[in-house]
Amino acid sequence: MQSVDLSSSDLRSLNAALQAQAEQTNQTVWEVLNPRGAHAIAVGLDAPIEVTVNGSTGYYCAGMNKQATVTVKGSAGPGVAENMMSGTVIVEGDASQYAGATGRGGTLIIRGNASSRCGISMKGIDIVVGGNVGHMSAFMAQKGNLVVCGDAGDALGDSLYEARLFVRGSVKSLGADCVEKEMRPEHLHDLAALLEKAGLDHDPASFRRYGSARKLYNFNIDHAGDY
Amino acid sequence: MCGIVGIFTKTEALRPTLGQHLSDMLITMSDRGPDSAGIAVYGSDTPGMTKITVQADDPARLAALDLPGAEIRTISTHAVISMPDGKAAETLAKLRATPGLRIMGSGARIEIFKEVGLPADVSRHFALPAMSGTHGIGHTRMATESAVTTDGAHPFSTGPDQCLVHNGSLSNHNSVRRRLARDGVTVSSENDSEVAAAYLTHAMSSGRNLGQALESALKDLDGFFTFVVGTRDGFGVLRDPIACKPAVMAETADYVAFGSEYRALAPLPGIEHARIWEPEPAKVYFWEAA
């Protein structure tokens, strides 16, 4: 295992070393010690490596991830796994605002709570949150799945496109054009797979599904007078 | 951006080293705001005595102060003047009338030091690591709403033993300023954050405690804000309902601490076992010494 201690090594050399790993690297397992909330740890990775960060991270940890599995053994600051393309990011603690924002693929698992704007503008990423999510989560979410095992805050799924939202607890309020939808067999099937991937044994049938009412997709001529 | 740090102690453990911890935390936040930095420390009080902190760009003005019966402790561009409570009003009036002096704050326990420059320099100029106290608040500023000057630096103190630091920008500060003026409260600078400080002072002077004043601020102040506020025995935190401005808190048996980022909390003793959370939007957090 490769070990990098951020109390004695600088962040740029850590990220340069991680980003230099090729598809066929032999250095597949990495450990980062003493992150102490540093920004942009393990960003821009593009190799099937495993990186474990032993502690809490600051802004943008594991941003733009491709292929790699990044585990944060602590809490993550704003923008964790932002714009992820593929791979897996696991946060053992809580995540701050806009976790998984704009993500196009891969899986983000947050074992604790995520704060506001979780999955904002997500475009294909799957996000599983063990606890609660804050207000404006999945705002303008276009594609992918957001699974919330706890409660969702205000304005869930505001201006939603085709992302699917699953919430086990309560929803404080739904955003514009977000509605509860029927849970069909294919949804239960996909949700079961996501829960299994996150190592959670909740019954998929205990969740409710929310999605777009698709009323904001087109300009409504009858509303022209409102502008 | 701006960076905020704060500690409120619940036991004696951190009090002798409060300044050192605040200094470490504030320096960690330097890249959130390099324009100016400041701290408010709540140290020991002497019953019957009031402290006034003043600043002068030219330290010769501090050396020239003639205040019979007052004790003057000069630190760099600031001086902490102690006098019996009965002389405080007269002394304040005299200091206000002295050219080249700025009143930073006054009260039984508060001392405020702020200057243009990086947190490390401000901390060194005022020997912050040597200070002790029950609670303290620090701020490093990236200016948006008014000029980079000592007057625009945080913390703002608009009432006895009160101070406020702010990350964000208020959009209705001019109308709040006019409303306060009608009630006889004047705000000395053009700064939006000072309006928030004066708003809270005004609310507390009409009998509300800090927690109640912060509740009413949610209704009356519009814009982006994370506030950390100190009173003689209290410490409060408030984020606006949108909560874009970052905030992390930590609590142990010995202290409550605030940081704009976890980086600021990382050097604190016992942080690995602390309860760490992100303060909720539009929720008043408020601690007061028993």
Side-chain angles (χ1 to χ4, degrees), chain A residues 102-134:
Chain A
T102 74
R104 289 177 175 268
T107 308
L108 168 62
I109 298 165
I110 297 160
R111 303 226 180 274
N113 301 315
S115 72
S116 59
R117 294 172 276 274
C118 180
I120 183 171
S121 200
M122 56 192 275
K123 298 176 174 72
I125 189 176
D126 291 325
I127 305 176
V128 182
V129 181
N132 308 326
V133 297

Side-chain angles (χ1 to χ4, degrees), chain B residues 19-35:
Chain B
Q20 181 68 59
H21 295 303
L22 269 182
S23 175
D24 291 347
M25 293 165 79
L26 193 59
I27 290 167
T28 313
M29 291 291 95
S30 296
D31 50 14
R32 292 194 66 86
D35 295 336

Side-chain angles (χ1 to χ4, degrees), chain B residues 255-272:
Chain B
Y255 63 82
V256 175
F258 178 97
S260 289
E261 299 179 31
Y262 177 77
R263 280 190 298 160
L265 305 177
L268 284 171
I271 193 69
E272 57 279 9

Side-chain angles (χ1 to χ4, degrees), chain A residues 204-225:
Chain A
S206 63
F207 287 76
R208 298 210 235 190
R209 181 169 76 100
Y210 301 88
S212 174
R214 303 184 179 120
K215 287 188 177 158
L216 295 178
Y217 277 29
N218 303 100
F219 182 70
N220 186 337
I221 193 65
D222 293 335
H223 293 168

Side-chain angles (χ1 to χ4, degrees), chain B residues 36-83:
Chain B
S36 63
I39 46 139
V41 173
Y42 292 83
S44 58
D45 61 336
T46 310
M49 300 290 280
T50 297
K51 292 194 272 197
I52 302 171
T53 310
V54 295
Q55 184 269 2
D57 291 336
D58 176 6
R61 293 196 183 271
L62 300 174
L65 283 173
D66 178 26
L67 301 166
E71 183 196 317
I72 302 174
R73 177 163 51 94
T74 305
I75 312 171
S76 185
T77 54
H78 287 47
V80 179
I81 303 161
S82 306
M83 76 230 68

Side-chain angles (χ1 to χ4, degrees), chain B residues 126-172:
Chain B
F126 298 114
L128 172 58
M131 292 180 194
S132 59
T134 55
H135 51 303
I137 293 169
H139 184 274
T140 180
R141 180 171 186 232
M142 185 171 280
T144 54
E145 294 293 300
S146 66
V148 178
T149 57
T150 307
D151 283 333
H154 301 224
F156 289 100
S157 181
T158 48
D161 280 315
Q162 295 168 10
C163 76
L164 170 141
V165 298
H166 174 206
N167 179 15
S169 53
L170 298 178
S171 45
N172 68 339

